[in-house]
Amino acid sequence: MSEFPTTTAQHARAKRNAFTRFLDGVEWLGNLLPHPVTLFALLAIGIVLLSGVLGYFGIAVEDPRPAGAKGVAEDGMIRAVSLMDGDGLRRIFTGLVDNFTGFAPLGVVLVAMLGVGVAEKSGLLSAAVRSMVMGAPPKLVTVAIVFAGIISNTASEVGYVVLIPLGGAIYYALGRHPLAGMAAAFAGVSGGYSANLLIGTIDPLLAGITQEAAQLIDPDYTVLATANWYFMFASTFLIAAIGSAVSIYIVEPKLGEYDASKADPTILDEGMMQQLTDKERKGLRWAGLALLGVLALMALTLWPEWGVLRNAESGDRMDSPFFDGFVVWILIFFVSIGYAYGRATGTMKTDRDVIDAMAAALSSLGLYIVLVFFAAQFVAFFGWTNLGAITAVSGANFLVSTGLTGPMVFFLFILLCALINLSLGSASAQWAVTAPIFVPMLMLIGYAPEAIQAAYRIGDSTTNIITPMMSYFGLILAWATRYQKDLGVGTLIAMMLPYTIFFITAWSLFFYLWTFIIGLPVGPGSPTYYTP
């Protein structure tokens, strides 16, 4: 193993202050939990048993959605559904395979890894990482990773399947703790999920749900996809700054110096810090030309009026097959630039080399696939039993019962959304259930739907990184174990918890300052107040 360059963060011992001891306690408690695969299996069984108890006692809450809407029961109630009776057990047995194969992140990860495998096996990723980080100031590398993570949300899942493992590789190449690099990327991609400089795929989705909820009070009310753009644009820089500071001054010092003996030997590359050769530079030039070709192809399918991947009915660019199937572009992108690099450097000569690279990439996902099988059952059972919806509605009803009407209500609202997100991880699914409660309620006390939606997005984003219910949590855990074989759920949660604490605190205060102190709109034509 070649000697890594040293950094101040590596040699600085973490001060054992109260906050560090608290994180140590979280890590210790979390690591008392069993292996993640076992944990999800036990949780799935626990949901089945709990559903039997709640179903027996007839636990139910009033459905906030209007009568006659899709999925609303005739009596207007959301009831706990038992999986312990005959119907429930039959549904488990017939749905087990579909739960696994239909788990959304699984297909995305497998397809994306086919392309990433080609880029990795050809040597492109190693050369690209070295070209980026050789001589780069460590603190600027951290800022770049967090910022790139936030921006990656425009392209949906690309940050999860590409940037987070790349963050670990970059830190490893610099001789810094690779888990700190993964944490920085994870914080940007998932903790800062709603912040962005551009309108992403989540914006029109949430706006549509908000509009439907607002029309329960005002049938003519419309909410645009750009409703939160100003606030989320500014939030990008806030989250990038906070995420970078937490990474540099809290997470990395706590992790300490990296012990490479804990890593999977297959990831250790003796040449990670070697200077680029002339052949590698030639390969990067060819990869750059392939990149330009892919970008040109992407533009031709989306930008012109006749673009084949625009929405066939409306001509819209955002709500279109281009973004709905963006994982295909990830595949095309990495296969193209990886093969171009491999041909130029001689690491890839035939189609067999490409196939072998894809096979090797998928073989490294064995633990993730096993984890997904059990995680998919847990998520499916949780949805079938209505426990997620009951939890969300109960939490919203609690907010109503507090009787708060001033702007301070938004702090409680954001906190409640963050807590609900721990059990109902999908942003759209959570908002579909809670928007019909929160939006009309807050409109009636004088706040506009656009401002309500912006506050919701803060709570929804900031706890993504500490909940196993987040779809990609298992994938992050599987990748992290490549650098630390004995890594547990508690270590990952404790590593990400500082980001959650600082994100939700600073972002909430920023929202309050933006909307109620300075009085800026959260987006174009988006008011803060509403007159019933």
Side-chain angles (χ1 to χ4, degrees):
M1 188 73 186
S2 59
E3 290 296 323
F4 284 136
T6 58
T7 63
T8 302
Q10 281 186 313
H11 294 297
R13 291 185 177 274
K15 294 181 180 179
R16 314 315 294 172
N17 55 33
F19 185 66
T20 303
R21 291 195 298 271
F22 166 69
L23 294 179
D24 290 340
V26 171
E27 180 177 354
W28 178 77
L29 288 172
N31 286 338
L32 291 178
L33 296 172
H35 189 282
V37 173
T38 306
L39 177 62
F40 276 115
L42 293 174
L43 287 173
I45 294 172
I47 288 296
V48 173
L49 297 176
L50 181 61
S51 72
V53 174
L54 298 182
Y56 176 79
F57 286 103
I59 301 299
V61 295
E62 186 175 352
D63 197 323
R65 293 170 294 183
K70 183 179 179 181
V72 177
E74 292 184 2
D75 62 356
M77 302 296 290
I78 301 176
R79 301 185 182 280
V81 177
S82 174
L83 296 179
M84 290 288 290
D85 56 17
D87 289 340
L89 292 175
R90 283 189 290 271
R91 188 174 189 182
I92 291 173
F93 271 80
T94 58
L96 206 70
V97 174
D98 289 340
N99 294 342
F100 176 47
T101 58
F103 194 59
L106 178 63
V108 172
V109 170
L110 294 180
V111 172
M113 285 302 294
L114 291 174
V116 173
V118 175
E120 183 177 16
K121 191 72 173 179
S122 69
L124 171 62
L125 292 187
S126 174
V129 167
R130 283 184 284 136
S131 69
M132 287 189 294
V133 304
M134 293 293 283
K139 293 183 180 181
L140 290 184
V141 169
T142 303
V143 174
I145 289 175
V146 177
F147 189 79
I150 299 170
I151 299 302
S152 73
N153 295 319
T154 305
S156 191
E157 290 89 359
V158 64
Y160 288 105
V161 299
V162 176
L163 188 63
I164 294 175
L166 184 61
I170 291 174
Y171 266 54
Y172 179 78
L174 284 172
R176 300 166 68 179
H177 204 300
L179 293 185
M182 293 187 68
F186 192 15
V189 172
S190 201
Y193 180 68
S194 277
N196 215 312
L197 300 181
L198 305 172
I199 301 299
T201 54
I202 192 64
D203 290 274
L205 182 60
L206 293 182
I209 296 172
T210 304
Q211 178 173 295
E212 290 183 5
Q215 289 178 351
L216 297 175
I217 299 296
D218 186 343
D220 297 324
Y221 205 97
T222 58
V223 179
L224 302 177
T226 56
N228 300 145
W229 184 39
Y230 294 162
F231 179 69
M232 293 306 164
F233 186 99
S235 296
T236 301
F237 301 98
L238 174 74
I239 295 301
I242 295 172
S244 301
V246 170
S247 297
I248 295 168
Y249 297 111
I250 297 178
V251 174
E252 194 169 0
K254 183 180 184 301
L255 288 170
E257 187 173 356
Y258 180 54
D259 180 3
S261 67
K262 294 183 177 180
D264 181 342
T266 61
I267 69 166
L268 302 179
D269 185 350
E270 297 287 344
M272 278 296 283
M273 290 307 295
Q274 293 180 0
Q275 294 290 339
L276 292 176
T277 64
D278 291 339
K279 183 181 290 186
E280 287 175 324
R281 292 190 181 92
K282 177 184 176 183
L284 289 176
R285 289 194 294 271
W286 278 96
L289 292 175
L291 168 63
L292 292 176
V294 173
L295 292 177
L297 179 62
M298 293 173 73
L300 285 174
T301 62
L302 183 67
W303 190 256
E305 294 294 331
W306 44 264
V308 69
L309 293 184
R310 293 177 64 163
N311 189 305
E313 297 179 358
S314 65
D316 189 69
R317 293 187 178 96
M318 294 304 301
D319 180 19
S320 66
F322 181 92
F323 285 104
D324 291 342
F326 200 83
V327 67
V328 179
W329 284 118
I330 297 176
L331 173 63
I332 295 171
F333 173 82
F334 281 104
V335 169
S336 300
I337 63 174
Y339 184 69
Y341 178 90
R343 288 287 294 182
T345 58
T347 57
M348 286 193 166
K349 299 177 181 178
T350 67
D351 60 323
R352 181 70 186 212
D353 296 321
V354 175
I355 295 169
D356 288 343
M358 290 180 172
L362 293 189
S363 68
S364 68
L365 294 178
L367 175 61
Y368 173 65
I369 293 173
V370 174
L371 182 68
V372 160
F373 175 79
F374 291 99
Q377 309 312 322
F378 170 58
V379 172
F381 295 170
F382 201 66
W384 292 350
T385 58
N386 284 337
L387 296 187
I390 290 173
T391 301
V393 173
S394 299
N397 289 338
F398 167 76
L399 180 61
V400 175
S401 69
T402 62
L404 292 175
T405 57
M408 294 298 292
V409 71
F410 280 95
F411 287 103
L412 186 57
F413 171 51
I414 291 170
L415 180 60
L416 189 56
C417 291
L419 293 174
I420 292 173
N421 189 53
L422 294 174
S423 62
L424 197 62
S426 168
S428 57
Q430 182 189 159
W431 195 226
V433 173
T434 56
I437 301 173
F438 289 130
V439 173
M441 178 191 74
L442 295 175
M443 285 178 70
L444 290 174
I445 60 175
Y447 299 106
E450 293 86 349
I452 301 167
Q453 178 182 284
Y456 161 74
R457 296 174 73 170
I458 296 172
D460 173 69
S461 298
T462 50
T463 50
N464 282 335
I465 49 182
I466 59 170
T467 173
M469 285 297 295
M470 198 274 294
S471 300
Y472 288 92
F473 192 88
L475 176 66
I476 310 307
L477 188 64
W479 270 324
T481 56
R482 299 178 67 190
Y483 292 105
Q484 186 171 318
K485 291 179 288 187
D486 59 349
L487 185 80
V489 173
T491 302
L492 183 56
I493 292 176
M495 186 171 67
M496 302 310 300
L497 186 58
Y499 295 103
T500 291
I501 294 172
F502 282 92
F503 279 174
I504 196 169
T505 302
W507 211 350
S508 299
L509 290 172
F510 183 59
F511 173 78
Y512 186 82
L513 177 68
W514 181 281
T515 53
F516 301 113
I517 302 301
I518 302 178
L520 296 173
V522 292
S526 297
T528 299
Y529 297 98
Y530 171 77
T531 303

